[in-house]
Amino acid sequence: MGESRKAFAADSDVQLRTHIGGQALIEGIMMRGRYNWAVAVREPGGAIYTEEHDLASGRAKNSWMYWPVIRGCTAFVESLALGFKALGISSEHAYEWDEDEDGVDDGKKSGGMGALMTLSMIVGIVLGIVIFVVLPAALSNLVLGEASMNSVAWNIFDGIVRVAIFILYIWLISLMKDIRRMFSYHGAEHKTIACYEAGDPLTVENVRKYTRFHPRCGTSFLILVVIVSVFLYSVLPWGSIGLRGLFKLLLLPLVMGISYELLKWCGRSDNIATRIIRQPGIWVQHLTVFEPDDSMIEVAIAAVTPVLPETPEEGKW
């Protein structure tokens, strides 16, 4: 594996193009490679629990799902499903169940946690539609008037309000203690991937010196989705608020597809255009990616090790 890392370091064009990605969890990290994914969680006793799974791909049966633009929606759905599974694993091992005190076994408790997470996701989707679709439209009508709904100015104002609400939301949740800790694991994830992509051995000392910001971060993808939607929605004609909300939802896959292609381009190239495109995402990462401590970096290394490719060629994104 050391030779693979040296090969990555020797090829500067590969350093920002590896297939390794991840997600911060409850007291842990999920790392995803090309063929498998792994979870590492810091247990209450201090030990690191790791779990590895093969990564199923539908490319062979449904190759059209991986065409440009369409593959952005495919990647989003796959990441959402994988992240949900990883969160379930971390919730089982990050907390100490008191089964002896209440007589409820771990299986029932983890099942209840899964149901709670499902309900939370559904509620989150509904709230997201209200906060990021309905509320901006209502505020735009309040400021500019419903009669101007089809004007470019109305649509641009609506988009600016959406961006502002998104940033405010991120900032507010970052003030919560548990979320801040998860965002620190997010930093450990980024720094570990950056260390690997630079070709350095994965040690705590080496990882610590790398930046916590990364051009392929999920935060950058989300802010790209918001920005692309501003440009796309601002030039399209609309009818009522109801039709506006419906068409925004119908166009969301296209917005995500375009955003994914931009993110992919920014991850594979480094020029003036890509630096400009990814800069808003880097700015927002100041709210979602915090510096980790050494124990978090240890978890990140434990999570990424099982998914590292055998050769640099396998790791290209």
Side-chain angles (χ1 to χ4, degrees), residues 22-179:
Q23 175 182 322
L25 306 171
I26 303 170
E27 291 299 325
I29 293 173
M30 180 272 290
M31 289 287 193
R32 173 177 176 167
R34 190 163 190 169
Y35 304 111
N36 61 336
W37 59 280
V39 172
V41 183
R42 179 74 68 178
E43 295 181 317
I48 299 177
Y49 171 83
T50 59
E51 186 171 321
E52 179 185 354
H53 296 273
D54 291 333
L55 189 61
S57 173
R59 186 183 295 271
K61 295 182 179 180
N62 302 293
S63 59
W64 63 271
M65 295 176 64
Y66 297 86
W67 293 349
V69 180
I70 296 176
R71 62 190 174 188
C73 299
T74 303
F76 177 77
V77 173
E78 288 179 346
S79 297
L80 195 64
L82 191 59
F84 187 76
K85 292 179 182 177
L87 276 172
I89 295 172
S90 68
S91 66
E92 289 181 27
H93 295 275
Y95 302 115
E96 190 169 6
W97 302 108
D98 297 327
E99 59 194 284
D100 294 334
E101 296 180 8
D102 54 21
V104 181
D105 61 52
D106 286 352
K108 292 181 180 179
K109 287 185 176 181
S110 60
M113 180 65 73
L116 181 60
M117 290 174 61
T118 302
L119 178 61
S120 299
M121 184 177 68
I122 295 173
V123 172
I125 292 174
V126 174
L127 286 177
I129 294 174
V130 172
I131 294 174
F132 298 111
V133 178
V134 178
L135 181 58
L139 290 175
S140 299
N141 279 345
L142 182 65
V143 174
L144 300 178
E146 188 171 351
S148 64
M149 185 180 296
N150 288 328
S151 69
V152 174
W154 192 101
N155 286 284
I156 292 176
F157 185 83
D158 175 68
I160 292 174
V161 171
R162 251 182 296 125
V163 172
I165 290 176
F166 175 76
I167 294 176
L168 177 62
Y169 169 78
I170 293 295
W171 176 71
L172 287 175
I173 66 171
S174 71
L175 299 178
M176 302 170 60
K177 181 179 178 180
D178 290 342
I179 297 299

Side-chain angles (χ1 to χ4, degrees), residues 215-228:
R216 297 197 315 269
C217 176
T219 301
S220 295
F221 174 73
L222 289 178
I223 197 64
L224 272 176
V225 167
V226 175
I227 293 174
V228 169

